[in-house]
């Protein structure tokens, strides 16, 4: 696939610049945080443009906020597909939902339950079709990495009867697929972004496996190759991984992230603080995109900022419904706009 | 008190006395059983309350952790992560005898590599808060089963106490007084019969003597 010139993104950049002002800023987030009634929050979201395509959106939203978020994300993807000269950069991120659906379909099949209605509609393949492909074991229509991963996870599950192996294989394949797509697209911004996503996934895996005392073999199986710091070969993680992780991050030129993580380890506030640092680290990558005049950067930045916004809104509204103290919510809120 | 409808004979009296004795012995035994059941019941209720408070606290903790995980993950992600449980639990339900009450005993065994092997999802796309919720939930399971065991035991013992209490009351306020009254009545009747017989005999004796010796006639002649 030939690289698309920056000028070809002029229309997409202009359209994104027009809509990104509608993203929730700190003021709006604070207003939401100060609300106590979830119905008020839903109304506020509807006024802010959520659920605009639905005539009965208010009713729908009040019943299930998750539908509103899914629709918003779907609209965002459709919007980006509409404005971009090539759908590939958006498909790259939409494929995450194909993998999510595949995991759900496989687990449901092994469990003997029907999950067709619960599948995500945000992927590149229609959930019904994907369900059919997997059930019929007909992987011809699927990308190679994807079909191989599904095949491998079926074999691994039949051998171990362990549902976790399905996630491990398909998660790894999902990132590998993103990386190979990004490299094929020959856009350094996209490749760097995917590498950052792999890094954050690996850091999350290393810290969580250490916290949970998972064995060395598990870490080896779970880590994803292709990021900015090496995870295979001599870099074997086992036991006390934190010091080693910080050292490797420093060596890979990720000193800022290493410093923040070191501070979080000292604070010992648990995994939530670390996850926030990792999510913010990805969002901070989009800071320069704010000033980019042309290119793919502002478009992808918009997608990620929208995803983060939805993550924050879900956090606030779930917290509001379940009467979680605002402070506990506030400390988990992700960086909303770079 | 109602008197029993029985024949007023010595045989019946003996039978009734035997029944009264048995009833008194049974009453004492049942009263002891009731007291012991009450003692055990109170112990179980006390333990049950402690366990319930503990379980409720743990469940609240699990709930708040799940809420946090739920707040950070979409429905589909959460569904995918938790749809297929990794650890299998085998529950063995048997029973044991406590004061002639068959109370349940639950034993559970988990298949897998222990506490570390309970996560059915990968760590790349899930929230760490979910791990904490799963760990908290796995810790609460044995306590939940113990609580179920205690609550069922308390319920069965309460039923048995109620039954025993009714039996004790029936013996104390109905059966024993009825038997006592019937025995008293039979004794009274038999005594009365006895006295009637005695009088009759004395009368007969007088008549025989009169016939043999003619005392009355002699007395009349003398006078």
């Amino acid at each position: 696939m030939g690289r698309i010139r920056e000028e070809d993104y002029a229309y997409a950049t202009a359209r994104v610049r027009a809509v990104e002002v509608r993203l929730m800023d700190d003021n709006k987030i604070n207003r939401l945080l100060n609300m106590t009634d979830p119905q008020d929050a839903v109304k506020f979201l509807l006024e802010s443009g959520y659920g605009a395509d639905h005539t009965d959106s208010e009713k729908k939203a009040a019943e299930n906020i998750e539908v509103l978020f899914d629709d918003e994300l779907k609209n965002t993807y459709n919007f980006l597909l509409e404005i971009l000269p090539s759908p590939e950069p958006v498909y790259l991120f939409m494929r995450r939902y194909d993998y999510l659906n595949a995991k759900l379909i496989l687990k449901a099949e092994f469990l003997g339950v029907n999950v067709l209605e619960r599948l995500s509609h945000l992927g590149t393949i229609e959930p019904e079709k994907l369900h059919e492909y997997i059930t019929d074991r007909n992987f011809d229509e699927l990308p190679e990495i994807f079909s191989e991963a599904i095949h491998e996870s079926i074999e691994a599950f039949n051998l171990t009867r362990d549902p976790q192996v399905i996630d491990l294989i398909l998660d790894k394949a999902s990132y590998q697929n993103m990386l190979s797509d990004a490299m094929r697209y020959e856009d350094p911004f996209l490749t760097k972004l995917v590498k950052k996503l792999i890094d954050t996934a690996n850091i999350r895996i290393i810290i969580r496996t250490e916290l949970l005392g998972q064995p060395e073999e598990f870490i080896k199986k779970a880590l994803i190759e292709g990021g900015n710091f090496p995870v295979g070969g001599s870099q074997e993680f086992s036991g006390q991984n934190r010091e080693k992780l910080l050292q490797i991050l420093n060596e890979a030129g990720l000193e800022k992230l290493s410093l923040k993580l070191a501070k979080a380890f000292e604070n010992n506030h648990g995994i939530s603080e670390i996850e926030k640092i990792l999510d913010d680290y990805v969002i901070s990558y989009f800071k320069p995109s704010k000033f980019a005049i042309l290119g793919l950067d502002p478009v992808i930045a918009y997608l990620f900022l929208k995803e983060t916004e939805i993550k924050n809104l879900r956090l606030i509204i779930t917290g509001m419904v379940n009467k979680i103290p605002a402070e506990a919510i506030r400390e988990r809120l992700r960086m909303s706009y770079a | 008190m109602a008197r029993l409808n029985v024949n007023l004979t010595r045989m019946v009296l003996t039978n009734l006395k035997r029944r009264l004795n048995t009833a008194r012995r049974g009453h004492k035994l049942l009263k002891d059983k009731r007291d012991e059941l009450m003692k055990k019941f109170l112990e179980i209720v006390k333990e049950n309350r402690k366990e319930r408070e503990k379980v409720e606290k743990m469940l609240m903790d699990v709930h708040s952790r799940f809420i946090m995980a739920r707040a950070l993950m979409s429905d589909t992600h959460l569904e995918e992560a938790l749809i297929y449980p990794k650890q299998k639990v085998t529950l063995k339900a048997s029973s044991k005898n406590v004061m002639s009450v068959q109370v349940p005993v639950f034993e559970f065994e988990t298949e897998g590599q222990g506490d570390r092997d309970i996560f059915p999802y990968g760590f790349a796309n899930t929230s760490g808060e979910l791990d904490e919720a799963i760990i908290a939930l796995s810790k609460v399971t044995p306590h939940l089963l113990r609580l179920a065991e205690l609550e069922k035991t308390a319920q069965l013992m309460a039923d048995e106490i109620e039954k025993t209490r009714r039996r004790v009351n029936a013996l104390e306020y109905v059966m024993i007084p009825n038997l006592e009254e019937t025995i008293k009545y039979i004794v009274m009747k038999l005594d009365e019969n006895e006295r009637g017989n005695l009088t009759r005999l004395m009368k007969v004796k007088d008549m025989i003597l009169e016939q043999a010796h003619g005392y009355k006639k002699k007395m009349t002649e003398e006078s």
Side-chain angles (χ1 to χ4, degrees), chain A residues 86-264:
Chain A
S86 159
E88 272 310 311
V90 182
Y91 281 165
L92 186 147
F93 295 107
M94 286 172 80
R95 278 203 189 94
R96 291 177 295 175
Y97 295 96
D98 293 335
Y99 280 88
L100 173 70
N101 283 344
K103 288 190 281 181
L104 197 49
I105 293 167
L106 284 175
K107 285 183 181 180
E109 184 191 308
F110 294 133
L111 201 63
V113 294
N114 184 14
V115 283
L116 207 53
E117 281 179 14
R118 293 181 236 172
L119 297 175
S120 172
H121 287 264
L122 299 169
T124 57
I125 307 164
E126 285 292 313
E128 292 79 13
K129 272 190 184 168
L130 185 61
H131 186 271
E132 201 182 303
Y133 294 152
I134 294 177
T135 314
D136 299 344
R137 302 286 188 262
N138 172 18
F139 307 136
D140 298 345
E141 303 290 323
L142 304 177
E144 199 184 337
I145 299 178
F146 193 22
S147 63
E148 276 175 10
I150 295 173
H151 191 70
E152 193 187 338
S153 55
I154 293 170
E155 279 185 355
F157 180 83
N158 287 334
L159 213 65
T160 58
R161 310 304 297 174
D162 179 359
Q164 199 180 33
V165 295
I166 298 173
D167 277 19
L168 295 183
I169 293 166
L170 283 167
D171 283 348
K172 204 180 258 192
S174 161
Y175 284 99
Q176 300 295 350
N177 203 343
M178 272 202 279
L179 188 62
S180 87
D181 284 356
M183 287 166 103
R184 207 172 60 230
Y185 200 67
E186 293 176 16
D187 189 298
F189 172 82
L190 216 51
T191 314
K192 271 187 196 170
L193 173 61
V194 175
K195 279 178 178 275
K196 273 181 189 287
L197 291 176
I198 294 175
D199 288 346
T200 52
N202 280 334
I203 295 169
R204 196 175 281 132
I205 291 166
I206 292 165
I207 295 171
R208 279 166 73 183
T209 45
E210 192 201 297
L211 281 172
L212 303 172
Q214 295 287 327
E216 198 179 327
E217 311 89 73
F218 176 82
I219 309 177
K220 271 186 200 167
K221 272 194 275 178
L223 287 174
I224 305 153
E225 285 181 18
N228 288 311
F229 63 90
V231 289
S234 59
Q235 308 291 350
E236 283 184 359
F237 289 95
S238 62
Q240 291 296 312
N241 288 324
R242 292 182 185 191
E243 290 76 20
K244 193 168 184 178
L245 174 69
L246 296 177
Q247 186 196 330
I248 289 169
L249 289 177
N250 281 328
E251 283 167 9
L254 305 167
E255 295 88 356
K256 274 187 186 174
L257 179 63
S258 165
L259 210 67
K260 280 183 182 172
L261 286 173
K263 208 174 166 190

Side-chain angles (χ1 to χ4, degrees), chain B residues 52-66 136-137 140 144 147:
Chain B
R52 179 164 269 279
E53 277 168 10
K54 198 173 179 180
V55 165
E56 275 174 6
K57 206 174 160 191
M58 288 172 102
L59 281 177
M60 283 303 286
D61 180 47
V62 170
H63 178 70
S64 62
R65 285 173 195 275
F66 262 115
L137 190 63
V140 82
L144 264 175
L147 182 66

Side-chain angles (χ1 to χ4, degrees), chain B residues 3-220:
Chain B
R3 206 171 56 225
L4 302 176
N5 187 18
V6 287
N7 291 330
L8 308 176
T9 61
R10 285 203 179 275
M11 190 183 266
V12 172
L13 180 68
T14 319
N15 276 342
L16 286 180
K17 277 184 178 169
R18 203 179 298 130
R19 274 177 68 188
L20 179 65
N21 248 341
T22 314
R24 279 187 180 141
R25 223 173 37 238
H27 175 250
K28 191 185 172 302
L29 281 171
L30 282 172
K31 218 171 162 184
D32 288 350
K33 183 185 171 183
R34 185 194 63 187
D35 294 347
E36 190 57 29
L37 273 172
M38 276 305 285
K39 205 176 130 199
K40 291 239 184 236
F41 178 72
L42 288 174
E43 277 170 17
I44 285 166
V45 166
K46 217 170 164 184
E47 198 187 338
N48 183 57
R49 199 170 61 190
K50 266 189 202 166
E51 199 65 32
R52 179 164 269 279
E53 277 168 10
K54 198 173 179 180
V55 165
E56 275 174 6
K57 206 174 160 191
M58 288 172 102
L59 281 177
M60 283 303 286
D61 180 47
V62 170
H63 178 70
S64 62
R65 285 173 195 275
F66 262 115
I67 292 294
M68 230 19 131
R70 167 74 193 76
L72 289 165
M73 292 169 75
S74 74
D75 275 358
T76 320
H77 278 95
L78 199 66
E79 176 94 28
E80 185 278 314
L82 300 176
I83 189 171
Y84 198 125
K86 187 168 185 177
Q87 206 172 37
K88 278 186 183 167
V89 175
T90 319
L91 181 72
K92 280 184 194 167
S94 55
S95 62
K96 67 174 180 185
N97 194 328
V98 177
M99 302 291 300
S100 76
V101 184
Q102 290 295 319
V103 297
V105 180
F106 296 136
E107 284 171 58
F108 89 107
E109 282 171 21
T110 48
E111 289 172 31
Q113 293 166 17
D115 292 348
R116 291 188 301 185
D117 199 27
I118 54 174
F119 309 100
Y121 47 81
F123 294 159
N125 292 321
T126 49
S127 168
E129 309 240 6
L130 191 61
D131 306 344
E132 292 173 358
I134 297 279
I135 292 171
L137 190 63
S138 78
K139 280 183 186 161
V140 82
T141 314
H143 293 282
L144 264 175
L145 279 173
R146 176 72 187 139
L147 182 66
E149 200 178 280
L150 285 170
E151 294 211 335
K152 190 66 194 168
T153 304
Q155 191 190 338
L156 290 169
M157 288 193 94
D159 286 348
E160 187 64 21
I161 288 170
E162 183 58 24
K163 260 193 247 170
T164 315
R165 197 180 61 80
R166 279 174 193 277
R167 283 181 190 149
V168 169
N169 284 348
L171 283 172
E172 191 172 337
Y173 298 110
V174 182
M175 198 165 178
I176 293 174
N178 284 357
L179 283 171
E180 280 173 347
E181 183 158 339
T182 315
I183 288 169
K184 198 175 156 190
Y185 179 71
I186 294 174
V187 169
M188 227 163 67
K189 273 284 175 195
L190 287 176
D191 285 354
E192 203 179 317
N193 286 349
E194 195 63 32
R195 280 193 297 277
N197 277 343
L198 198 68
T199 318
R200 208 174 300 115
L201 276 172
M202 283 167 75
K203 185 73 185 165
V204 170
K205 187 186 165 190
D206 279 355
M207 283 164 73
I208 292 171
L209 284 173
E210 183 58 38
Q211 231 173 19
H213 305 290
Y215 288 125
K216 221 178 226 178
K217 201 178 172 185
K218 278 180 189 171
M219 276 171 75
T220 321

